[in-house]
Amino acid sequence: MKNPNIKIQQTELLSDNWYLLNKVTFDFLRKDGVWITQKREVYDRGNGAGILLFNSTKKTIILTRQFRLPAYLNGNETGMMIEVCAGLLDQDHPEQCIIRETEEETGYRIKSVQKIMETFVSPGAVTEILHLFVGEYDASMKVHDGGGLEHEQEEIEVIEMPFVEAYAMIATGEIKDAKTIILLQYAKINNLV
């Protein structure tokens, strides 16, 4: 941390039940030269990776559908979210992580991925950096049905659909997940599918 206008005064652990929730007290030097003290809660769940799997020949993509409690608690009537495959790094390099997650969640053993960007998920409260990838798939890469890991209590539905149909789901509100929207727009802008 190299910003001379920020001085961390105290970090108080509020919870380490699932991930880390800290209350951070810090001093911030405003542009007018006045130091002010602020307190913020910061959620640290680690960094993650997400991927849009696409088939340029069939003009299809692979997405997942699963229950997301925070979305349910904030107005999503079913709690089900349509998303790209994603997961936490768990000490892996982002490329290793997304190749592992792709096989666990979708059943596809992909050969190569292309990193397109890094993004902060919700920088006002969450530390997570999400590494975003695209990767091409075909039927020969399918090694099992996917669905996630039972010991992680995952129940993931794998969805293969035409890219144009998925892209239209942004406008209808059927896809509301930010990483998925970013990757679909990247694919559209760059004519991947």
Side-chain angles (χ1 to χ4, degrees), residues 154-167:
E154 293 178 318
E155 187 174 288
I156 299 170
E157 178 186 352
V158 180
I159 306 167
E160 182 177 30
M161 66 173 52
F163 173 77
V164 294
E165 182 182 325
Y167 194 78

Side-chain angles (χ1 to χ4, degrees), residues 23-63:
K23 181 165 79 175
V24 180
T25 304
F26 63 100
D27 294 334
F28 175 78
L29 181 60
R30 297 186 336 188
K31 289 180 182 178
D32 64 6
V34 175
W35 284 93
I36 59 171
T37 300
Q38 297 184 349
K39 295 180 183 186
R40 296 289 185 270
E41 291 183 5
V42 178
Y43 192 55
D44 183 352
R45 61 186 303 267
N47 295 326
I51 188 167
L52 179 66
L53 296 172
F54 69 95
N55 183 306
S56 58
T57 304
K58 291 173 46 180
K59 306 286 188 215
T60 55
I61 62 169
I62 300 287
L63 296 174

Side-chain angles (χ1 to χ4, degrees), residues 45-50 86-89 94 97-98 128-133:
R45 61 186 303 267
N47 295 326
L88 293 177
L89 298 187
C97 166
I98 204 57
E128 182 179 9
I129 293 173
L130 193 58
H131 303 264
L132 296 178
F133 296 86

